[in-house]
Amino acid sequence: MADDTARGAPAHVIADEAEALAVAAELADAFRVGAADRDAGRVLPRAELDRLSASGLLAMTVPSAHGGADVGARTLAEVFRLLAAADPSLAQIPQSHFVYVNVLRRQGGEAQRKFFFAEVLAGRRLGNAQSEKGTAHVQDIRARLTPRPDGSYLLTGEKHYSTGALFAHWIPVLARAGDDALHVAYVPADAPGLTVVDDWDGMGQRTTASGTVHLVDVVVDADRIVPHHLTFQGPQLHGAVAQLLHAAIDAGIAAGALAEAAAFVRTRSRPWFEAVGEGYATPADDPLLVQRFGELAIQVRASEALLTAAADAVDRAAGRLTDDTAASASIAVAAAKVHAARTAVETGSALFELAGTRSALDGLNLHRHWRDARTHTLHDPVRWKVQHIGRHVLSGTRPPRHGLL
């Protein structure tokens, strides 16, 4: 559960998009210091998350009518990219927070929006409890909401990969009601019957605490439940926004890996003796290394450009949401995600090729970039995104509304 001191600390309110970007850049600089050590020792970033909450960034998408800055997708994506370039685990933790703020925007009732947006503006964090193990597929949700005579519900189930739950004040839980329709139950982290277990042991994103949530007869009031199934009955940007943030994290991982590789080569690598024989005194002068860094830089820039283009497509669709604009946004985000995922893995691996033998020393923890990239890009297979892009190009087929595109 989140530290109770965070409940008493007033959060700053972000005024606009320019301030959001400035605050994100400042926090990224601070979070970069110690990121490698936190990863190596699996030191959970509780203090850093409290600082993130206090900064007001977690409330930057709250609608202006409720007192928030209501920043657009371009700013949101850039904030995540900046944070991920500094510490991908820390950037991953609030991804679901923004997804479930978005659910409230689209399907929450007025009273629900008023209550939860006030919570978010006060610095409260939303986690997630959505994925399950042992089911037929990722959308086979078995957690259940059972009605009680007094109008409340009993929530039962077990969730895995619950990034953010350990640090959350509220845990949104995906569950099915009696009619099998999908709902989100917003459950306080200290609710009786709810237990968060820190059993995440992934090779990458080590400090996300993406563990298990046990739900045993948790009582949930009806006014804390949102009909999520309605999200997918018309054009929607739920999946596009969620995937945009994943793409931003991948783009950030790639940028962080490239920057650290360049710093290592400039300051710690030795030149290859044949390069010295050709008159190149330092590794940074070696034309073969220069060529490879240039190639990787182009890939990173392309990922960032596709990310910006995708965010702009989401913003355009939000201004005029139709089947076609929603489809265009999803396709643009899919393209950004495919490219950023490939670039993050390639750059994290190429770091060693460029920096040399010493870079493989475990104590330097340079392998965290590749581990984070390889782990994060497993969230959903990009091969299916390529399929949807190809169908859209060839036949104009709109992508499905399943929320993962």
Side-chain angles (χ1 to χ4, degrees), residues 101-112:
V101 168
N102 206 32
V103 169
L104 288 163
R105 288 185 63 137
R106 183 163 176 89
Q107 298 301 342
E110 182 56 33
Q112 291 174 320

Side-chain angles (χ1 to χ4, degrees), residues 44-307:
L44 300 182
R46 296 184 184 276
E48 289 77 15
L49 281 171
D50 284 344
R51 183 171 177 182
L52 182 63
S53 293
S55 75
L57 279 182
L58 295 184
M60 63 182 167
T61 60
V62 169
S64 55
H66 290 268
D70 200 9
V71 307
R74 179 190 274 218
T75 295
L76 180 62
E78 180 62 7
V79 166
F80 267 78
R81 191 194 69 81
L82 289 168
L83 294 176
D87 185 341
S89 288
L90 191 53
Q92 179 64 41
I93 291 169
Q95 191 265 349
S96 289
H97 170 95
F98 285 97
V99 168
Y100 286 105
V101 168
N102 206 32
V103 169
L104 288 163
R105 288 185 63 137
R106 183 163 176 89
Q107 298 301 342
E110 182 56 33
Q112 291 174 320
R113 291 196 295 268
K114 181 178 180 181
F115 175 80
F116 279 110
F117 291 157
E119 285 285 283
V120 171
L121 283 165
R124 315 289 190 259
R125 295 188 288 267
L126 308 183
N128 99 81
Q130 50 191 22
S131 294
E132 300 179 10
K133 287 183 181 177
T135 57
H137 50 76
V138 70
Q139 292 198 324
D140 181 16
I141 302 297
R142 306 285 177 86
R144 304 299 299 188
L145 283 163
T146 304
R148 303 173 76 211
D150 64 358
S152 64
Y153 289 79
L154 282 183
L155 175 60
T156 58
E158 183 174 282
K159 300 291 186 173
H160 299 270
Y161 312 118
S162 301
T163 303
L166 189 69
F167 313 109
H169 301 95
W170 292 90
I171 301 178
V173 181
L174 276 185
R176 297 194 183 277
D179 58 358
D180 220 33
L182 194 62
H183 292 71
V184 177
Y186 289 75
V187 184
D190 57 358
L194 186 154
T195 306
V196 182
V197 181
D198 180 20
D199 56 0
W200 170 244
D201 65 350
M203 69 173 182
Q205 294 200 300
R206 289 175 171 174
T207 62
T208 59
S210 301
T212 303
V213 174
H214 299 282
L215 303 148
V216 180
D217 292 337
V218 179
V219 177
V220 185
D221 291 337
D223 62 359
R224 297 292 180 260
I225 299 172
V226 174
H228 192 33
H229 58 98
L230 298 179
T231 300
F232 308 103
Q233 292 184 5
Q236 50 81 33
L237 295 172
H238 174 80
V241 171
Q243 291 295 308
L244 181 72
L245 300 185
H246 283 308
I249 292 169
D250 289 339
I253 292 173
L258 184 63
E260 188 149 10
F264 194 94
V265 167
R266 284 194 302 266
T267 61
R268 306 183 74 170
S269 293
R270 294 186 300 175
W272 183 241
F273 76 97
E274 289 179 286
V276 174
E278 294 290 333
Y280 305 111
T282 70
D285 296 327
D286 182 341
L288 299 180
L289 281 182
V290 170
Q291 176 74 17
R292 187 67 176 121
F293 268 104
E295 292 169 348
L296 290 171
I298 291 169
Q299 291 294 95
V300 171
R301 283 173 176 257
S303 289
E304 292 170 357
L306 284 168
L307 181 69

